[in-house]
Amino acid sequence: MAYATIVSNKPADPLEPLAYRDIDTPLGELRLVASPKGLRGAWFTDQEMLPSPEGWTRTDANPILEQARRELDDWFAGKRRGFDVALDPIGTTFQHKVWHALCALEFGKLASYGDLARTVGRPKGAQAVGGAVGRNPIIIIIPCHRVIGADTSLTGFGGGLPRKQALLAHEGNRYVSRNPRARRVCDGQAELPW
């Protein structure tokens, strides 16, 4: 996965041209947003954190958005396990460290907040890692759904626990409940639940 952003603490340029499109997925409508350098965001359109598209250009002709759509279609169809689209999320240096660590998680592999904290060199920073995971602007492609509690509990997910449960099942991890305290019951072959 190509991470286009040079990590900085600078806020997004309000004059930077951003393009977007909404796509259908088995888990609901997803809004994809691209800068000239890469995918800037991916949110389900019913997420609380969905930014306003004011000032963005709606298009189906953007090559970054089209690549992201194709790769997501293939991922949901079970034809792909990773993503190649260039990424350009905005965040702090620490958030980028966490998002890079998320991108390193392989399909079907889960990590706890503590595991990620150790990976990014902050072994006592599980809460800070949780904050960075919760601010992930590129859902599914930066796989924050692969982060669970140390006891294998589902914990939270910006797209909602039913979606997290479905994404984990797609990758072979089973949860019988959508309760945040639900624990993983088994690992199995990836099956498409939709």
Side-chain angles (χ1 to χ4, degrees):
M1 175 168 332
Y3 217 98
T5 297
I6 296 170
V7 178
S8 78
N9 290 324
K10 292 180 181 177
D13 178 355
L15 300 177
E16 182 178 34
L18 296 178
Y20 81 100
R21 75 185 285 189
D22 295 340
I23 64 169
D24 290 324
T25 76
L27 298 177
E29 191 174 64
L30 194 66
R31 177 159 297 158
L32 303 175
V33 180
S35 75
K37 294 184 264 179
L39 194 65
R40 174 67 52 89
W43 298 271
F44 287 103
T45 56
D46 61 357
Q47 277 186 253
E48 283 183 33
M49 291 180 60
L50 178 70
S52 166
E54 186 177 334
W56 301 350
T57 302
R58 185 180 194 114
T59 181
D60 290 337
N62 180 287
I64 294 167
L65 297 176
E66 178 55 23
Q67 181 182 356
R69 183 206 58 79
R70 266 193 330 270
E71 290 182 10
L72 283 162
D73 283 351
D74 287 349
W75 189 86
F76 278 112
K79 298 176 184 174
R80 132 182 317 270
R81 290 183 165 218
F83 298 92
D84 299 317
V85 65
L87 303 181
D88 187 32
I90 298 293
T92 67
T93 301
F94 179 71
Q95 288 169 338
H96 281 282
K97 275 182 142 181
V98 172
W99 300 339
H100 275 277
L102 288 172
C103 289
L105 292 175
E106 294 179 21
F107 183 93
K109 300 297 181 195
L110 305 179
S112 70
Y113 295 99
D115 294 335
L116 281 177
R118 287 184 288 282
T119 298
V120 300
R122 298 260 311 261
K124 295 183 181 182
Q127 246 181 337
V129 164
V133 169
R135 288 178 186 83
N136 170 22
I138 306 177
I139 205 161
I140 301 172
I141 295 172
I142 297 179
C144 55
H145 61 277
R146 295 180 186 150
V147 181
I148 58 173
D151 61 356
T152 76
S153 59
L154 277 176
T155 66
F157 183 63
L161 289 180
R163 285 184 179 128
K164 182 173 185 169
Q165 186 179 31
L167 292 167
L168 292 175
H170 174 66
E171 296 187 6
N173 294 287
R174 302 285 178 250
Y175 285 80
V176 294
S177 167
R178 292 182 177 142
N179 182 306
R181 297 201 179 278
R183 290 181 177 66
R184 185 170 48 136
V185 292
C186 70
D187 290 328
Q189 295 290 43
E191 294 175 21
L192 302 176
W194 35 79

